[in-house]
Amino acid sequence: MRLLWGSGRRGKVRFLLMALGSALGVACLAAVLAIPSILMAHDARTSAREPRPGTSNVLFQEFRDPYGSRPLHRVFVAQTRPGPTPVPPGIEKLPGAGEAIVSPELRQILASNPRTASLVPGRVTGTIAPQGLGGSDDLYAYIGTTPAELTEAEELGAFGTGSTWREIVDPSTLTILRFTLGCIVLLPLVIYLSVCARLSGESRARRLAALRLVGLSMKDTLRVNAGESVAAASVGAVIGVLGYLGVNEIMARVGLPGLHWYPSDGRPAGATLAMCLFGCPALAWLVGQFSARRAAMSPISVRRTEDRKPPRKFGTLLLVPGLGIIGGYCVLSITGRDPSGGSASSLLVPGAVLLTGAGLVFGLAPITAWLARQLGSAAKSLPVSLAMRRTEVDPGSSLRVVTGLVLLVFGASLTQGVLVELDQASRRTSPLQEYKISLGNLAPPQRKALASVPGVRTQVVSYSSWDPMDDGDVARVDLVVATCAQLASSTEHSIGCVDGKIMQLRNDQSPLEYDAKAGEHYPFTLENGQKTTFAVPRGKVNVRPWGVSVFASGALLIPPSLVPPNLADSAGTLTLVSDSDPATVRSVLDGIGAVAPTSPVEPVGIVIDSLAQLTVIRSLLAVGMVLGLVIGVAAFVVSVADRAMERRAQVTALALLGARAGTLRGVQVLQVLLPLAVGLGGAVVAGWLAESSYLITGGGAVHWDWEGLPLLLACALGVLLVAALASVPMVRRHIDPEHIRRD
């Protein structure tokens, strides 16, 4: 440290930059390591409040319903006899009959929307504390009632089951999420911290070589370099942890889409603090030992700038098994074979992804050096020749510049694959989504308002001939009120529909629960309690719906003009139809919740919890991509700036020889673009193949993400353009006498 502070203002600035760079990296590391802690804290609180059947003086009954696109959980409790009762975390006692204790978010909804009062019958007497909530946005309520009101109640034993009924992220999905975040954040982070630890590598090597030549031992020389790196990394680690704590306090109050947490959830645990405060300095020590070894072992070659050895080609061999496994799965899919399932693919694909990523990093230097040698031999332009010869001699400096961005693009393709796979698992594969709501729960103004909910394409009313008073298995038929145009727009195909006539829907590929024959009569209930009958017509419509649908085989299609106006709403269902992409589904569900907040909604074929989980995963992956982008850009900026500072002597020599400013800037741009283009090209190809192999082994319907490929190419071209523009200002033609050296 005495040598560092005695080296003047330049050494102090270098130390400050190393510390700030390490601080940024440690803050990103703490954020990634805190994600599992936040999810575990959420699940621990939700499992601690789960009611467990047993023996006590309390009956309970749970209701899990959607409120818009968000899950709503209500626990009705009724005390059967006096005495102490089990108490869940977050409240002091269970509510009595006619009372309710709700979460803060649900209390705000009840206060702002009077129509939601029926969701929580009774008087709100308290609020659930954070100990009893998964997050600050939880919709949860304990509602007191009488035993006679609970028709399907169980006797309450205690609260806390050891596992939650609804984990915020499924364990298998959490494993995939951790692996993906590791690829898009942790791997670039290691590269970035290594770059920060090697700032001003050439000038530091010359200084260390001078110390070695004046008599400092090899061991002490390595200690000097490692000590400076460790000191900067330690200061940066402390600053990074403090910075993360401040950001966590702010983000916990703002939250992410689908995920809100308390500040204490995101505060780093002991293992996380140890990783940040000791892991980063340990990495800096290793880098310092490695980078100073040449100066300690051969100081003369450093001071006289001896020719460097070409990079080893061993790293390129890592691409062979990685791309071999990934390409093998792609070939199996092309030949019509299904390699999904089994434990082998769950190990081979992640291993192949890691090998391919490592091959892209370690194989970039020898590939770039070979390509630069070929281009330099064939080039007739002075800027190209200078750039290629410099890249051929020192490809390692270019490697530091582009590795972070290459890994970012490679990780982005994996993120796309994870999102595509989860999207298939959480929603219907059809392009349309239906939502069923009982007509008995809707007032006429609400029906009209639902038709104008953003995202709704059409609405269809249907009635059932089934009577709850019927005993046994009685044949029934459904009556669907729709036009031929509505039928055609809501199904895969329909043939033979005639407007103005009652017709029967038939799908030859779907079995019939009740085969209604032509001429049979089925009764439907009227509002006055009487019955009216409809005969099954001879005319049939050949229809193929998108999966489970209101237009099911065997139903009767009736034009709106022929429907009796007084059919009982208790036997009717309103079906809304929209597109099936997750954003539209959430928008429609939120619109239904705003118009009819107390009406139960059945989103056909999807589960609200799965939709909420997909939102959380998207948010976490978006955070990972943002952190990866910050790390990649920071690594690029730091490396380019450091490389420009290291090359000042070379630029000065070229300027003295008469090189123009445009030539120098062209050399700088080409030196950055060549390895970046090679790395990004490999990252796009290898990443897309890795994504395809993941989708193939996942067993989903989508094996090839053709829609995501243009996005990857656009990102790669955008990175090249930004890198070229950012490289231009790094070259200064100003001649500083200090940089003029005899060698």
Side-chain angles (χ1 to χ4, degrees):
M1 294 303 297
R2 291 175 59 189
L3 288 172
L4 171 66
W5 292 112
S7 60
R9 182 173 59 88
R10 188 168 299 170
K12 297 177 182 179
V13 171
R14 183 180 68 244
F15 180 85
L16 180 62
L17 291 177
M18 292 171 63
L20 293 179
S22 300
L24 177 62
V26 168
C28 294
L29 176 63
V32 174
L33 295 179
I35 290 176
S37 301
I38 292 173
L39 300 180
M40 291 175 60
H42 179 282
D43 291 342
R45 288 193 297 269
T46 54
S47 64
R49 73 186 182 190
E50 291 287 339
R52 186 173 64 221
T55 303
S56 72
N57 58 344
V58 176
L59 299 177
F60 79 96
Q61 186 173 348
E62 293 183 89
F63 292 88
R64 304 175 188 269
D65 307 298
Y67 176 75
S69 60
R70 301 165 60 184
L72 169 63
H73 191 172
R74 296 173 293 173
V75 180
F76 286 80
V77 294
Q79 191 169 352
T80 57
R81 59 182 183 275
T85 61
V87 180
I91 64 176
E92 297 181 357
K93 64 176 184 177
L94 291 176
E99 298 177 343
I101 302 177
V102 301
S103 63
E105 182 75 6
L106 183 55
R107 189 164 195 164
Q108 292 182 6
I109 292 175
L110 295 173
S112 60
N113 190 353
R115 292 183 297 179
T116 60
S118 59
L119 289 174
V120 183
R123 180 172 53 91
V124 177
T125 59
T127 303
I128 304 174
Q131 294 83 359
L133 299 172
S136 58
D137 63 335
D138 227 350
L139 300 182
Y140 206 90
Y142 297 99
I143 303 171
T145 185
T146 61
E149 296 292 331
L150 300 180
T151 57
E152 300 179 3
E154 296 181 87
E155 198 166 339
L156 177 63
F159 288 93
T161 60
S163 61
T164 179
W165 183 87
R166 185 187 74 89
E167 294 172 314
I168 190 168
V169 177
D170 184 77
S172 60
T173 307
L174 183 59
T175 302
I176 298 173
L177 181 65
R178 287 173 174 169
F179 178 77
T180 307
L181 289 177
C183 291
I184 63 178
V185 180
L186 295 183
L187 290 180
L189 183 60
V190 172
I191 301 296
Y192 171 69
L193 292 176
S194 302
V195 167
C196 292
R198 292 192 62 188
L199 283 177
S200 301
E202 290 188 11
S203 61
R204 290 167 68 186
R206 294 178 64 85
R207 181 163 54 89
L208 292 172
L211 292 174
R212 182 80 175 91
L213 290 174
V214 297
L216 197 65
S217 67
M218 181 185 300
K219 188 175 182 180
D220 289 337
T221 302
L222 295 176
R223 282 180 177 178
V224 168
N225 187 57
E228 180 180 344
S229 300
V230 169
S234 300
V235 173
V238 174
I239 297 174
V241 169
L242 294 177
Y244 165 74
L245 290 174
V247 173
N248 174 65
E249 296 293 325
I250 298 174
M251 289 302 301
R253 290 163 174 79
V254 176
L256 298 171
L259 179 63
H260 288 72
W261 66 96
Y262 296 104
S264 58
D265 298 342
R267 290 169 189 157
T272 302
L273 284 176
M275 180 68 72
C276 295
L277 297 179
F278 299 106
C280 180
L283 177 63
W285 182 84
L286 290 175
V287 173
Q289 291 284 319
F290 175 77
S291 61
R293 188 165 299 277
R294 180 167 172 261
M297 296 181 64
S298 181
I300 294 295
S301 64
V302 173
R303 296 296 299 180
R304 293 183 176 178
T305 60
E306 185 184 65
D307 291 341
R308 301 184 181 184
K309 296 180 180 179
R312 297 179 180 179
K313 301 178 181 180
F314 174 76
T316 312
L317 298 178
L318 295 175
L319 290 172
V320 176
L323 291 178
I325 296 173
I326 291 171
Y329 280 115
C330 294
V331 170
L332 288 177
S333 177
I334 293 174
T335 57
R337 301 181 182 180
D338 184 13
S340 62
S343 58
S345 60
S346 62
L347 295 176
L348 288 177
V349 172
V353 169
L354 293 178
L355 288 175
T356 304
L360 287 175
V361 173
F362 296 110
L364 187 58
I367 293 175
T368 302
W370 176 83
L371 186 60
R373 186 182 307 114
Q374 304 303 317
L375 293 176
S377 301
K380 297 182 179 180
S381 170
L382 177 61
V384 175
S385 298
L386 288 174
M388 294 303 103
R389 292 306 183 190
R390 181 60 190 172
T391 303
E392 177 187 352
V393 171
D394 187 17
S397 60
S398 301
L399 184 65
R400 287 189 296 153
V401 175
V402 305
T403 300
L405 296 177
V406 170
L407 288 178
L408 177 64
V409 173
F410 180 71
S413 61
L414 296 178
T415 304
Q416 287 187 162
V418 172
L419 291 176
V420 170
E421 184 72 18
L422 293 174
D423 194 30
Q424 293 181 89
S426 62
R427 68 177 176 92
R428 296 171 45 154
T429 56
S430 68
L432 299 180
Q433 176 63 48
E434 296 184 2
Y435 317 82
K436 291 185 177 180
I437 311 170
S438 175
L439 285 178
N441 297 321
L442 296 174
Q446 290 177 316
R447 299 185 201 177
K448 184 178 181 180
L450 287 174
S452 59
V453 168
V456 173
R457 298 176 56 169
T458 185
Q459 64 175 4
V460 178
V461 176
S462 61
Y463 296 89
S464 177
S465 66
W466 179 77
D467 192 335
M469 302 303 294
D470 291 338
D471 295 329
D473 189 11
V474 179
R476 64 180 177 86
V477 74
D478 292 331
L479 197 68
V480 181
V481 183
T483 62
C484 291
Q486 288 177 306
L487 175 66
S489 63
S490 303
T491 57
E492 188 173 355
H493 80 259
S494 60
I495 302 174
C497 183
V498 179
D499 284 318
K501 292 179 60 177
I502 300 177
M503 308 188 75
Q504 187 181 27
L505 303 179
R506 284 287 184 169
N507 181 11
D508 297 335
Q509 299 180 357
S510 176
L512 292 173
E513 183 178 2
Y514 300 105
D515 190 4
K517 305 297 184 181
E520 293 180 348
H521 289 74
Y522 289 86
F524 289 82
T525 306
L526 300 176
E527 292 179 352
N528 56 11
Q530 297 180 356
K531 301 284 186 177
T532 184
T533 60
F534 284 88
V536 178
R538 295 185 180 275
K540 297 180 181 179
V541 181
N542 186 4
V543 64
R544 182 179 298 172
W546 297 106
V548 180
S549 173
V550 66
F551 298 102
S553 182
L556 304 184
L557 182 69
I558 180 172
S561 59
L562 300 180
V563 179
N566 56 347
L567 284 175
D569 288 342
S570 59
T573 301
L574 178 66
T575 300
L576 304 177
V577 182
S578 76
D579 294 334
S580 62
D581 60 282
T584 302
V585 171
R586 282 191 292 269
S587 175
V588 172
L589 286 172
D590 289 336
I592 295 173
V595 174
T598 60
S599 301
V601 182
E602 179 191 351
V604 179
I606 63 173
V607 181
I608 293 297
D609 290 336
S610 299
L611 193 64
Q613 182 178 167
L614 180 60
T615 304
V616 173
I617 295 172
R618 284 182 180 274
S619 298
L620 294 178
L621 289 179
V623 170
M625 287 299 298
V626 170
L627 293 177
L629 180 62
V630 170
I631 294 169
V633 172
F636 172 78
V637 172
V638 169
S639 299
V640 170
D642 181 55
R643 194 160 173 267
M645 296 292 291
E646 292 291 326
R647 290 187 63 247
R648 285 179 302 177
Q650 299 168 11
V651 172
T652 300
L654 291 174
L656 287 173
L657 291 173
R660 299 179 180 179
T663 300
L664 298 177
R665 293 190 177 96
V667 170
Q668 173 71 10
V669 171
L670 289 174
Q671 282 184 263
V672 172
L673 288 187
L674 176 64
L676 189 58
V678 173
L680 291 180
V684 169
V685 175
W688 188 72
L689 291 176
E691 176 193 2
S692 300
S693 66
Y694 172 76
L695 294 175
I696 290 168
T697 55
V702 178
H703 286 182
W704 306 94
D705 183 20
W706 296 106
E707 296 181 358
L709 187 58
L711 179 61
L712 283 178
L713 293 174
C715 292
L717 292 176
V719 169
L720 286 173
L721 178 61
V722 173
L725 296 176
S727 302
V728 173
M730 295 299 177
V731 176
R732 294 178 57 193
R733 201 170 179 271
H734 174 69
I735 298 178
D736 190 344
E738 181 185 354
H739 299 144
I740 302 175
R741 301 186 182 276
R742 292 186 178 183
D743 55 355

